């Protein structure tokens, strides 16, 4: 009998547990990856065939995890150490030697021992010489001369005898003898960290200088030799670095030189240093489109490109995997207590909510992992031996994105200044809804004003929203014409999105724009206790939009009581319980329903007649009032 038996058998996909401590976590990293079956497949193939991979997708979906897993999967190979040696013929061209892993340390140790021995015999020689000179000086009564001679000898030794340590090679890449292939994350590296560098030497001469080979530092590409080099957000690398990366990929070796032009290191250039790594380049679609075209083509030509999933189907198997995910995160964190079934079920609910799609679970697992950790921290704070549902519920309040917090602050502020109107009726003003960032909504009022046009009618909208407004007005112009019989070419339509800031999603405002324009044209007031979101077809069908849950929550927070959403989004709605009593949701399929609900006409009959005009010639049944 397990604690999870009290829940619906399917909820945890058949997994039975008291706490997540009972679950078995697969030992290899690749088996821990969840919801990325395609990418896992590709990584397995790429590892056996030694191919490069490009991963495209949102942050926190497991890209670097997969890259690390690939390094574990690479066929076993002899790892190598890389050493730099002084070059007696050309100081500025250090020699590179490659030896089996583990040998590097021994070689350096042997050289150091040798140097120490030589230094001590040199010191003995020096001591005998000094005693001798001072002795002779004392006997002959020329002590002052003797001291001067000793000082000269000291200086000569410093300047002309080579320093013993100058001959000791430097280990720049070191591996353990039986280690697996290295995984190196080169994300955001500057050129030196990526390609290797030679440090500046402030002395450069006079016996105080550090020899060139001793100032050489390996780059990420060299440390990834025979392993995996992972670079996220590829486009943030300078173009010249990307070019060098391409050379390194093609040649399998890359000399190290000082990266800073003004440094003495820039004069040094080693022999080519091996760097046969597999490249995993990652980023969102934008990153890929802005990366060096030759580099991209090289990776594509000798490897795979994969698109990372953002959601997975809500099936018992996938739910079982998410249960294991909670166990994995708790184990990896190591500081938080395991989860009981109630807490896991709340995490599953949140995974569903965050997917924003019906029948799906999110695979943006880094963020979900964040929630797992915050809830665990709360359990610790309380001294609880397990994490329970109330910890997860409180954690959701704390672990919110910055956008969500800003959105709250914004709602509070606009309320202070009466910018948010949530009661009464107004002509030409509609409460629309928008998504900010990934997981925050905001109320976005839209106002429209119609004036007779001096010339050809225009749509006048301001700022960033110009195109969106124009597009949506074009889309709804047929409907407006049918509804009001007005030819919109004879009027100027001014549309304003009030108090917007960046990140407003475009198309989901078209229902709102249409309602605002029709209200302004017809002089019919709009209910302000209603908010709406939806995209609109030219025939008046209300089409699905994204982020419906967050939009509804934002409206609820702002004090709006009724929210019109596309019928097809109804199954995506997964609002937090505390909001569910605050709002009623009206799903619609046609613009007529929106207008009927939101507008408050004086002459109801004439209004109904006009509504019928919209659907005229269309084979749609007369909709009942929602
Ligand atoms: P990305 O590189 O795509 O930004 P990471 O691989 O760095 O994301 O993911 C960060 C953490 O989130 C991982 O260490 C892991 O704990 C968790 N995680 C992300 N995606 C997955 C996944 N698909 N399966 C299991 N855990 C994941």
């Amino acid at each position: 009998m397990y604690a999870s038996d009290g829940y619906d058998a399917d909820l945890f996909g058949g997994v039975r547990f008291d706490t997540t401590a009972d679950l078995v976590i697969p030992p290899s990293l690749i088996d821990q990856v969840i919801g990325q079956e395609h990418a896992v497949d590709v990584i397995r193939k790429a590892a056996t065939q030694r191919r490069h991979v490009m991963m495209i997708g949102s942050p926190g979906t497991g890209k670097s995890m997969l890259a690390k897993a690939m390094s574990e999967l690479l066929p076993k190979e002899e790892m190598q150490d890389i050493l730099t040696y002084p070059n007696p013929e050309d100081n500025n061209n250090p020699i590179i030697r490659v030896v089996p892993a583990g040998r590097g340390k021994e070689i350096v140790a042997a050289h150091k021992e040798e140097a120490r021995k030589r230094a001590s015999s040199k010191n003995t020689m020096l001591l005998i010489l000094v005693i001798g000179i001072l002795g002779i000086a004392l006997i002959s009564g020329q002590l002052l001369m003797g001291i001067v001679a000793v000082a000269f000898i000291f200086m000569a030794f410093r300047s002309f005898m080579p320093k013993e340590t100058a001959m000791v090679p430097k280990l720049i890449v070191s591996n353990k003898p039986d280690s697996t292939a290295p995984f190196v994350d080169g994300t955001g590296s500057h050129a030196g960290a990526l390609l290797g560098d030679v440090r500046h030497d402030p002395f450069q001469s006079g016996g105080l200088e550090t020899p060139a080979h001793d100032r050489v530092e390996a780059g990420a590409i060299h440390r990834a030799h025979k392993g995996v080099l992972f670079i996220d957000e590829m486009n943030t690398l300078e173009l010249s670095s990307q070019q060098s990366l391409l050379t390194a990929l093609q040649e399998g070796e890359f000399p190290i030189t000082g990266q800073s032009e003004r440094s003495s290191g820039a004069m040094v250039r080693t022999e080519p240093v091996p760097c046969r790594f597999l490249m995993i380049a990652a980023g969102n679609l934008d990153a890929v489109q802005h990366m060096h075209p030759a580099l991209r083509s090289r990776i594509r030509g000798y490897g795979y490109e994969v698109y990372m999933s953002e959601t997975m189907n809500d099936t018992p198997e996938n739910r079982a995997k998410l249960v294991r995910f909670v166990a994995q995160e708790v184990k990896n964190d190591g500081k938080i207590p395991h989860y009981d079934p109630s807490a896991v079920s709340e995490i599953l609910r949140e995974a569903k909510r965050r997917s924003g799609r019906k029948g799906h679970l999110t695979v943006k697992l880094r963020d979900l992992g964040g929630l797992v950790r915050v809830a665990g921290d709360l359990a610790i704070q309380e001294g609880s031996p397990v994490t329970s549902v109330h910890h997860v519920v409180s954690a959701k309040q704390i672990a919110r994105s910055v956008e969500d917090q800003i959105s709250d602050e914004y709602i509070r502020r606009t309320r202070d200044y009466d910018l948010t109107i949530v009661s009464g009726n107004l002509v030409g003003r509609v409460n629309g809804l928008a998504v900010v960032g990934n997981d925050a909504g905001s109320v976005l009022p839209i106002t429209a004003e119609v004036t007779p046009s001096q010339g050809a009618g225009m749509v006048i909208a301001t700022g960033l929203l110009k195109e969106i407004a124009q597009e949506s007005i074009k889309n709804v112009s047929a409907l407006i014409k049918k509804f009001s019989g007005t030819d919109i070419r004879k009027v100027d339509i001014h549309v304003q999105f009030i108090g917007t800031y960046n990140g407003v999603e475009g198309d989901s405002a078209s229902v709102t724009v249409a309602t605002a324009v029709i209200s302004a044209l017809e002089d019919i007031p709009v209910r302000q206790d209603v908010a709406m979101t939806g995209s609109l077809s030219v025939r008046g069908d209300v089409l699905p939009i994204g982020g419906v849950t967050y939009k509804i929550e934002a409206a609820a927070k702002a004090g709006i009581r009724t929210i019109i959403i596309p019928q097809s989004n109804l199954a995506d709605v997964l609002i937090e319980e505390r909001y569910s009593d605050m709002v009623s949701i009206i799903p619609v399929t046609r613009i007529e329903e929106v207008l009927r609900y939101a507008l408050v006409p004086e002459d109801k009959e004439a209004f109904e007649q006009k509504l019928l005009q919209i659907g005229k010639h269309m084979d749609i049944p007369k909709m009942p009032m929602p």
Side-chain angles (χ1 to χ4, degrees):
M1 193 62 190
Y2 286 93
S4 62
D5 293 350
Y7 291 77
D8 178 5
D10 257 3
L11 177 65
F12 302 123
V15 180
R16 300 175 69 203
F17 59 101
D18 283 324
T19 72
T20 44
D22 301 337
L23 302 175
V24 181
I25 296 168
S28 67
L29 198 56
I30 191 87
D31 295 326
Q32 295 181 11
V33 178
I34 290 162
Q36 304 289 1
E37 284 73 22
H38 175 53
V40 166
D41 242 21
V42 168
I43 287 293
R44 282 188 194 281
K45 249 183 270 167
T48 34
Q49 298 295 107
R50 298 194 67 86
R51 303 268 185 234
H52 306 299
V53 181
M54 174 111 79
M55 286 183 197
I56 298 145
S58 302
T61 48
K63 296 187 292 294
S64 77
M65 191 175 176
L66 276 163
K68 213 177 285 171
M70 181 167 172
S71 70
E72 289 183 5
L73 289 177
L74 283 180
K76 198 130 182 76
E77 253 197 275
E78 289 294 308
M79 289 298 131
Q80 292 175 326
D81 286 347
I82 304 174
L83 297 148
T84 54
Y85 282 81
N87 184 345
E89 276 163 28
D90 180 358
N91 256 335
N92 284 332
N93 184 218
I95 294 168
I96 298 295
R97 287 283 172 272
V98 180
V99 295
R103 277 284 292 144
K105 267 199 186 122
E106 293 169 20
I107 292 175
V108 172
H111 271 84
K112 276 197 180 143
E113 179 57 25
E114 178 83 356
R116 199 187 54 75
K117 275 192 203 144
R118 253 187 286 145
S120 81
S121 65
K122 195 166 87 176
N123 287 345
T124 322
M125 216 168 82
L126 189 63
L127 196 67
I128 294 171
L129 206 60
V130 167
I131 293 173
I133 291 176
L134 288 181
I136 295 169
L138 258 180
I139 292 166
S140 57
Q142 302 275 344
L143 190 58
L144 198 63
M145 285 290 279
I147 291 172
V148 170
V150 166
F152 263 113
I153 287 172
F154 262 116
M155 276 165 57
F157 251 81
R158 272 205 82 117
S159 309
F160 301 113
M161 294 288 276
K163 263 200 277 184
E164 283 72 21
T165 49
M167 304 309 287
V168 176
K170 178 175 178 187
L171 183 59
I172 58 169
V173 175
S174 160
N175 282 300
K176 293 211 180 73
D178 49 359
S179 59
T180 52
F183 165 79
V184 180
D185 188 345
T187 305
S189 304
H190 57 86
L194 185 68
L195 306 167
D197 208 347
V198 181
R199 276 181 289 121
H200 177 63
D201 181 3
F203 298 110
Q204 298 179 41
S205 64
L208 291 170
E209 72 271 25
T210 314
H213 81 278
D214 214 18
R215 289 183 280 128
V216 172
E217 306 284 348
I221 57 168
H222 306 112
R223 281 182 288 117
H225 178 50
K226 295 200 168 200
V228 173
L229 177 67
F230 174 72
I231 298 186
D232 205 352
E233 306 303 339
M234 194 64 179
N235 56 333
T236 57
L237 276 191
E238 281 170 30
L239 223 49
S240 58
S241 294
Q242 294 192 39
Q243 181 70 53
S244 305
L245 202 56
L246 176 63
T247 314
L249 269 180
Q250 280 167 339
E251 310 287 330
E253 53 181 26
F254 197 81
I256 299 175
T257 180
Q259 298 290 345
S260 164
E261 262 175 47
R262 302 229 202 133
S263 135
S264 65
M267 304 203 329
V268 177
R269 186 182 178 84
T270 66
E271 291 180 348
V273 184
C275 58
R276 274 183 297 283
F277 56 89
L278 293 182
M279 168 99 210
I280 298 203
N284 54 21
L285 202 54
D286 186 55
V288 174
Q289 278 160 354
H290 287 98
M291 77 188 257
H292 195 302
L295 180 58
R296 170 155 187 214
S297 136
R298 175 84 195 179
I299 297 175
R300 188 159 42 174
Y302 292 84
Y304 299 90
E305 289 192 347
V306 262
Y307 184 71
M308 305 290 289
S309 315
E310 291 190 1
T311 62
M312 56 185 176
N313 290 332
D314 184 2
T315 60
E317 296 83 66
N318 284 338
R319 280 199 294 272
K321 285 185 192 162
L322 271 186
V323 178
R324 198 191 71 212
F325 166 75
V326 175
Q328 274 170 207
E329 293 294 300
V330 171
K331 181 164 173 258
N332 287 344
D333 188 76
K335 295 194 289 270
I336 54 174
H338 273 282
Y339 273 52
D340 69 11
S342 69
V344 176
S345 80
E346 191 59 31
I347 294 285
L348 284 173
R349 190 182 139 76
E350 187 63 17
K352 218 188 254 190
R353 202 174 101 83
R354 290 190 181 187
S355 78
R357 281 172 77 185
K358 56 188 146 198
H360 282 254
L361 297 165
T362 187
V363 187
K364 290 186 177 166
L365 292 182
R366 189 201 325 239
D367 292 352
L368 202 63
L371 181 64
V372 170
R373 281 181 286 277
V374 174
D377 288 349
L378 292 179
I380 290 271
Q381 224 173 32
E382 242 181 47
S384 166
V386 287
T387 310
S388 297
V389 61
H390 66 277
H391 299 128
V392 182
V393 172
S394 322
K396 279 201 273 187
Q397 285 292 321
I398 301 171
R400 293 189 311 154
S401 71
V402 172
E403 282 92 348
D404 198 14
Q405 297 178 34
I406 292 175
S407 164
D408 268 13
E409 172 64 24
Y410 189 77
I411 288 170
R412 271 197 295 276
R413 210 179 303 171
T414 50
R415 279 193 122 176
D416 285 351
Y417 292 99
D418 293 333
L419 283 176
T420 321
I421 303 172
V422 295
S423 60
N425 306 322
L426 284 174
V427 172
R429 182 188 190 283
V430 181
N431 282 318
L433 297 169
V435 175
V436 190
N438 282 328
D439 62 353
S442 98
V443 176
L444 175 67
I446 291 180
T447 52
E449 186 63 89
V450 177
T451 55
S453 177
Q454 309 293 341
M458 285 194 299
V459 173
I460 299 157
T462 42
L464 283 174
L465 300 152
K466 215 175 200 157
E467 270 180 33
I468 298 168
Q470 276 170 348
E471 276 290 299
S472 28
I473 288 169
K474 261 182 227 152
N475 284 344
V476 301
S477 65
L479 299 170
I480 295 170
K481 254 185 269 180
K482 276 179 155 176
F483 179 85
S484 61
T486 314
D487 187 345
I488 57 167
R489 276 176 305 181
K490 299 218 175 70
V491 288
D492 287 338
I493 300 175
H494 302 251
V495 180
Q496 187 188 12
F497 292 63
I498 299 174
T500 53
Y501 42 102
N502 278 347
V504 174
E505 197 195 358
D507 199 36
S508 70
S510 54
V511 163
T512 323
V513 171
T515 309
V517 172
I518 288 176
S519 159
L521 262 176
E522 297 288 315
D523 207 17
I524 305 175
V526 184
R527 284 174 60 175
Q528 299 300 309
D529 60 343
V530 172
M532 58 181 73
T533 177
S535 180
L536 205 54
S537 80
V538 287
R539 289 168 59 94
D541 299 308
V542 177
L543 306 175
I545 40 87
V548 68
T549 299
Y550 301 117
K551 288 177 177 172
I552 295 173
E553 287 179 352
K557 274 188 251 175
I560 287 169
R561 295 286 156 259
T562 309
I563 297 144
I564 300 176
I565 65 163
Q567 168 93 44
S568 40
N569 281 122
L570 194 56
D572 302 336
V573 176
L574 222 90
I575 54 175
E576 299 274 10
E577 254 154 42
R578 65 199 140 102
Y579 297 123
S580 52
D581 294 338
M582 294 165 64
V583 290
S584 55
I585 293 165
I586 316 279
V588 296
T589 54
R590 297 276 312 162
I591 182 74
E592 291 94 318
E593 292 169 81
V594 178
L595 296 175
R596 211 177 267 138
Y597 204 91
L599 298 187
V600 198
E602 260 174 32
D603 186 345
K604 287 212 165 77
E605 232 157 77
F607 180 68
E608 271 304 318
Q609 283 308 315
K610 287 185 169 177
L611 281 184
L612 285 180
Q613 291 302 314
I614 298 182
K616 209 172 160 191
H617 310 307
M618 278 188 228
D619 194 14
I620 42 171
K622 187 177 182 310
M623 264 81 44
M625 261 299 280

